[in-house]
């Protein structure tokens, strides 16, 4: 594993990635597109540090594992330890914002869900979390962030933090009541609608708030 956090100017961020804490169904329109109920409490799961890869490098699709779906998500880099944090503590602990793909083996996930089994194999495999460089939080607006994914120059996903069921700081505070968050940990905040399968040869262009632009390509594993 050779993943390391970076700022968007290429400077390394000297914090270890411990874990990536994620939320499912944080946008009602995405819950509906997969025919999932909107949960009354955030649905949390963790991707291990070994799932992280650089989004700026080509995405290698796992072979023979069925459909690999993209889910474009706002990624939050944590800068201070948080345990049972308040929303204002959570806000003060946000060091940077970036973008992530929460890659999901959708066929496998559907089989696991049908059997009531954990999702790990569908969500936590090696390479399952391409992460972009980060933009410093103090250079970004506090309450509203927007992001987009284009594939081969067609708009596929548009996210706006105002559409989240659980806003970023509330979500981080809630996560920290179960999992202590450490500097270098990353939060994925859920995907808006528009998810779909990746295919070899595609070009993905991601943009966050006119502040971060990343282009990447899908190659076969
Ligand atoms: Zn997701």
């Amino acid at each position: 594993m050779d993943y390391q956090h970076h700022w968007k100017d290429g400077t390394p961020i000297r914090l270890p990635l411990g874990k990536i804490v994620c939320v499912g169904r944080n946008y009602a329109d995405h819950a509906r597109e997969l025919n999932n109920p909107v949960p009354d409490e955030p649905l949390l799961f963790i991707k291990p540090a070994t799932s992280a890869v650089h989004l700026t490098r080509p995405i290698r699709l796992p072979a023979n594992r069925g459909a690999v779906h993209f889910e474009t998500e706002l990624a939050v880099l944590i800068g201070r330890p948080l345990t049972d944090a308040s929303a204002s503590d959570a806000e003060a602990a946000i060091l940077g914002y970036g973008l992530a793909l929460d890659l999901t083996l959708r066929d496998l996930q559907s089989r696991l869900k049908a059997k009531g089994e954990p999702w790990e194999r569908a969500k936590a495999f090696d390479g399952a979390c391409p992460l972009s460089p980060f933009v410093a939080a103090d250079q970004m607006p506090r309450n509203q962030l927007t992001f987009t994914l284009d594939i081969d120059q067609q708009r596929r996903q548009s996210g706006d933090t105002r559409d989240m069921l659980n806003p970023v700081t509330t979500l981080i505070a809630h996560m920290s009541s179960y999992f202590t968050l450490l500097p270098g940990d990353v939060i994925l905040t859920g995907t808006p609608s528009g998810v779909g399968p990746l295919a070899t040869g595609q070009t993905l262009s991601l943009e966050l708030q006119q502040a971060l632009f990343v282009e990447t390509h899908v190659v076969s594993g």
Side-chain angles (χ1 to χ4, degrees):
M1 188 187 111
D2 65 345
Y3 175 81
Q4 150 95 58
H5 294 315
H6 285 82
W7 295 116
K8 76 166 184 175
D9 68 2
T11 317
I13 302 173
R14 305 274 174 216
L15 291 174
L17 172 60
K19 60 185 172 300
I20 303 157
V21 185
C22 311
V23 59
R25 305 175 204 166
N26 199 26
Y27 292 81
D29 59 350
H30 169 64
R32 279 193 290 269
E33 77 178 339
L34 294 184
N35 291 316
N36 286 318
V38 173
D40 14 322
E41 195 183 342
L43 193 168
L44 305 182
F45 60 98
I46 288 180
K47 287 177 182 266
T50 44
S51 68
V53 291
H54 290 278
L55 180 60
T56 48
R57 302 205 189 135
I59 296 170
R60 294 190 176 280
L61 292 182
N64 307 315
R65 297 262 195 250
V68 183
H69 273 207
F70 57 86
E71 297 187 357
T72 311
E73 310 201 4
L74 176 70
V76 180
L77 178 63
I78 299 297
R80 297 185 196 171
L82 293 172
T83 303
D84 264 328
S86 65
S88 63
D89 290 340
E91 169 133 28
I94 297 175
L95 191 62
Y97 293 103
L99 291 171
L101 293 175
D102 168 16
L103 296 185
T104 304
L105 300 175
R106 191 71 75 199
D107 299 335
L108 175 59
Q109 187 196 31
S110 299
R111 289 201 297 276
L112 294 170
K113 276 163 70 176
K115 290 190 281 183
E117 292 182 1
W119 297 352
E120 261 78 8
R121 285 187 295 138
K123 288 279 198 182
F125 58 92
D126 288 357
C129 194
L131 283 170
S132 77
F134 289 90
V135 181
D138 57 15
Q139 293 168 24
M140 298 286 264
R142 279 177 163 220
N143 295 320
Q144 192 213 345
L145 292 170
T146 59
F147 57 93
T148 55
L149 166 72
D150 291 356
I151 298 183
D152 297 333
Q153 299 179 330
Q154 293 224 320
R155 180 64 37 93
R156 301 294 291 273
Q157 291 196 278
S158 297
D160 184 325
T161 54
R162 290 175 303 181
D163 297 331
M164 288 180 176
L165 298 172
N166 307 278
V168 173
T169 51
T170 316
L171 179 65
I172 294 172
H174 177 75
M175 287 170 166
S176 81
S177 72
Y178 289 95
F179 315 115
T180 288
L181 300 172
L182 295 174
D185 284 353
V186 169
I187 306 304
L188 298 196
T189 56
T191 188
S193 62
V195 303
L198 289 174
T200 302
Q202 288 172 330
T203 298
L204 278 62
S205 309
L206 298 92
E207 182 249 311
L208 170 63
Q209 197 68 33
Q210 304 283 310
L212 183 74
F213 300 89
V214 180
E215 187 171 281
T216 191
H217 304 276
V218 182
V219 297
S220 54

